[in-house]
Amino acid sequence: MTEISDYELIYMIRQGDDAAFSQLLQRYDECSRHLIFHFIRHDIAYNNKDDFRQLAAMKMLQAIQCYREDKLVSFASFYQNILRRALIDYLRVNKQILMTQGYGSVYDNLICDGEGQYTTNSSKNETISKSVLLRIEEAMEHLNAFEKKIVELRKNGYTYAEIATDLKISEYIVARTIRKIRNAQKKSR
């Protein structure tokens, strides 16, 4: 018996076949677990793997609903992109929640001591994170609305390219604005 292709399974799922959905979910289980582990392995919430498996199943449904064969991209790539974006969004939201509660995230554990050496002292990390946040808040008072929006997006983990896309400006303008803000902050010290 030949294996049913992704495209046939998608057609069957769109016709209401729950068994086809289970088969497609099982087919991409290893891929989903790998992506989840890659993005979330350092996160505190990774211990609750069932939530992430549920997220993978929901994103599989979204991929099935939105996928079109005529776009010349495989379903595997399409699904992986949707799941990857959802995991990135999760990390952004989770990091923002941790920072507003006064905790540094796992990604903030490396601290430069000024001589190019990095430490992972968590109490020092919290102090530095709070002082950095205070400086950012003080600097934000002197920025215009456009600059504030760029800083907020950057604080939330957006890349220059994502900020440019979101604000419908060029990446160069984003980089120039951030450079201008940093230079102004250095002069005020």
Side-chain angles (χ1 to χ4, degrees):
M1 186 174 142
T2 62
E3 187 174 313
I4 300 173
S5 73
D6 289 350
Y7 308 112
E8 292 170 320
L9 285 173
I10 291 168
Y11 177 78
M12 292 165 56
I13 293 166
R14 288 177 178 167
Q15 300 305 314
D17 189 344
D18 291 336
F21 179 70
S22 296
Q23 187 176 354
L24 192 63
L25 199 56
Q26 185 177 15
R27 183 177 293 176
Y28 285 98
D29 184 57
E30 182 68 28
C31 168
S32 300
R33 284 189 294 131
H34 174 74
L35 268 174
I36 290 167
F37 179 76
H38 174 74
F39 279 94
I40 313 294
R41 67 177 167 238
H42 298 296
D43 197 279
I44 298 164
Y46 183 67
N47 296 328
N48 196 352
K49 296 176 183 134
D50 291 336
D51 288 345
F52 293 108
R53 288 192 144 183
Q54 184 68 29
L55 175 69
M58 290 183 339
K59 293 304 164 182
M60 174 70 75
L61 279 172
Q62 181 184 354
I64 290 166
Q65 291 171 352
C66 299
Y67 180 72
R68 291 180 36 202
E69 285 182 54
D70 60 340
K71 293 295 182 184
L72 300 176
V73 65
S74 71
F75 178 76
S77 296
F78 187 73
Y79 168 63
Q80 288 172 3
N81 281 334
I82 288 177
L83 182 57
R84 186 178 297 116
R85 288 182 187 133
L87 292 169
I88 290 170
D89 288 343
Y90 165 81
L91 288 174
R92 283 185 183 140
V93 168
N94 196 37
K95 182 175 180 179
Q96 186 175 11
I97 289 169
L98 287 173
M99 294 305 283
T100 58
Q101 292 174 346
Y103 300 106
S105 78
V106 174
Y107 306 106
D108 295 329
N109 281 342
L110 292 178
I111 304 163
C112 183
D113 65 3
E115 298 175 9
Q117 299 297 319
Y118 288 88
T119 62
T120 56
N121 184 339
S122 61
S123 62
K124 184 178 178 184
N125 184 26
E126 288 180 21
T127 304
I128 288 174
S129 294
K130 288 177 185 175
S131 68
V132 168
L133 287 174
L134 278 173
R135 280 197 319 238
I136 289 172
E137 292 303 319
E138 289 171 5
M140 291 283 280
E141 295 171 3
H142 304 292
L143 302 179
N144 63 39
F146 176 72
E147 293 168 336
K148 285 179 182 178
K149 181 69 176 170
I150 289 176
V151 170
E152 283 298 319
L153 291 172
R154 189 69 182 137
K155 267 183 20 182
N156 291 334
Y158 283 72
T159 64
Y160 287 14
E162 291 170 328
I163 294 170
T165 303
D166 193 41
L167 298 178
K168 295 176 179 55
I169 56 175
S170 73
E171 226 175 301
Y172 173 77
I173 292 174
V174 173
R176 186 184 69 196
T177 305
I178 291 175
R179 194 169 44 249
K180 175 184 154 193
I181 294 167
R182 285 185 182 148
N183 289 338
Q185 187 180 15
K186 285 179 187 176
K187 286 179 186 177
S188 68
R189 285 185 193 173

